[in-house]
Amino acid sequence: MRFQSNSETPGRGLPRRVGQLFAGLVLYGVSMAFMVESRLGLTSWDVFHQGVSKATGLSFGWVVILAGIPILLLWIPLRQKPGFGTIANLVVIGLVVDAALAVLAPGDSMTMRVTYLVVGILLNGVATGMYLGAHFGPGPRDGLMTGIVNRFPRLSVRLVRTTIEVAVLATGFLLGGTVGLGTVAYALAIGPLVQLFLPVFSAAPHARTVRLTPALSTS
């Protein structure tokens, strides 16, 4: 499986792709807020973001933005190049999650908290498929996933994404981030969800460079 680069994506449907990109980024930020307010555990990356936020006093969203910069340096050995979507990701998600946290009511009952958690995980999978499927380049964190999959095409998105999430989870825990059942649920579910939604939202589903079917049967 190989992900399509910006230069390989046809110019047709550009307004749709731009709209899908920003809709996906906004949805991603909202999904993060739902998980934060569930108080049942954060995503693997957000365990890290929360730890840094507590240590520095910066808002959660600003930590998301600033942490993306050094993560981009990890793209160098993978020969992954940033695109327009990469820069948009770096800025939009952090701003949206802060805004969403300001208006989203905290989950009071356990039923509401579980609902927030499930909604957050599902929205995150949809949002990732949307902004990656727009083919403007992945965000800093998902660039690690796409870069590894491009370099090692026998690996599935599901396997690579899940492996990255588990590794980040362990690092975040050591930094003092909050880990809960929601963290484990996200780490296990996000790979299959991205595998499901990415072909649905791909702007060029029949392109030669986007071959998702073989990966679906890879464990």
Side-chain angles (χ1 to χ4, degrees), residues 32-44:
M32 292 168 67
F34 268 104
M35 290 197 66
V36 170
E37 294 295 2
S38 77
R39 305 194 308 279
L40 291 174
L42 299 174
T43 71
S44 301

Side-chain angles (χ1 to χ4, degrees), residues 143-162:
L144 292 178
M145 175 185 71
T146 57
I148 291 171
V149 171
N150 283 338
R151 290 293 299 273
F152 305 99
R154 295 179 65 88
L155 300 178
S156 71
V157 174
R158 178 175 58 249
L159 174 62
V160 172
R161 179 63 183 258
T162 301

Side-chain angles (χ1 to χ4, degrees), residues 1-208:
M1 173 183 172
R2 180 170 176 262
F3 283 85
Q4 191 174 37
S5 68
N6 298 347
S7 61
E8 294 170 320
T9 304
R12 293 181 302 173
L14 183 60
R16 173 211 160 184
R17 290 171 53 213
V18 172
Q20 180 176 306
L21 168 68
F22 283 97
L25 295 178
V26 169
L27 196 62
Y28 199 103
V30 171
S31 75
M32 292 168 67
F34 268 104
M35 290 197 66
V36 170
E37 294 295 2
S38 77
R39 305 194 308 279
L40 291 174
L42 299 174
T43 71
S44 301
W45 281 109
D46 289 342
V47 171
F48 172 78
H49 296 148
Q50 186 187 55
V52 175
S53 177
K54 289 181 177 179
T56 63
L58 292 171
S59 72
F60 190 91
W62 273 106
V63 172
V64 172
I65 293 172
L66 296 176
I69 297 173
I71 291 171
L72 281 175
L73 296 177
L74 298 178
W75 289 29
I76 296 174
L78 296 174
R79 300 176 184 175
Q80 184 84 338
K81 297 181 179 180
F84 171 69
T86 308
I87 306 305
N89 181 295
L90 190 65
V91 177
V92 173
I93 291 178
L95 297 179
V96 170
V97 68
D98 271 355
L101 286 171
V103 300
L104 184 64
D108 294 327
S109 67
M110 181 56 67
T111 299
M112 180 178 287
R113 292 168 63 190
V114 171
T115 300
Y116 274 13
L117 176 64
V118 173
V119 169
I121 293 175
L122 290 175
L123 287 181
N124 196 280
V126 173
T128 302
M130 288 181 71
Y131 77 75
L132 287 179
H135 297 292
F136 281 111
R141 296 153 187 82
D142 282 304
L144 292 178
M145 175 185 71
T146 57
I148 291 171
V149 171
N150 283 338
R151 290 293 299 273
F152 305 99
R154 295 179 65 88
L155 300 178
S156 71
V157 174
R158 178 175 58 249
L159 174 62
V160 172
R161 179 63 183 258
T162 301
T163 300
I164 291 174
E165 295 296 331
V166 172
V168 172
L169 168 62
T171 303
F173 177 75
L174 293 175
L175 291 173
T178 302
V179 177
L181 292 178
T183 309
V184 177
Y186 179 87
L188 295 176
I190 191 61
L193 285 173
V194 174
Q195 188 80 20
L196 174 65
F197 288 113
L198 184 56
V200 173
F201 292 106
S202 178
H206 302 298
R208 176 181 58 84

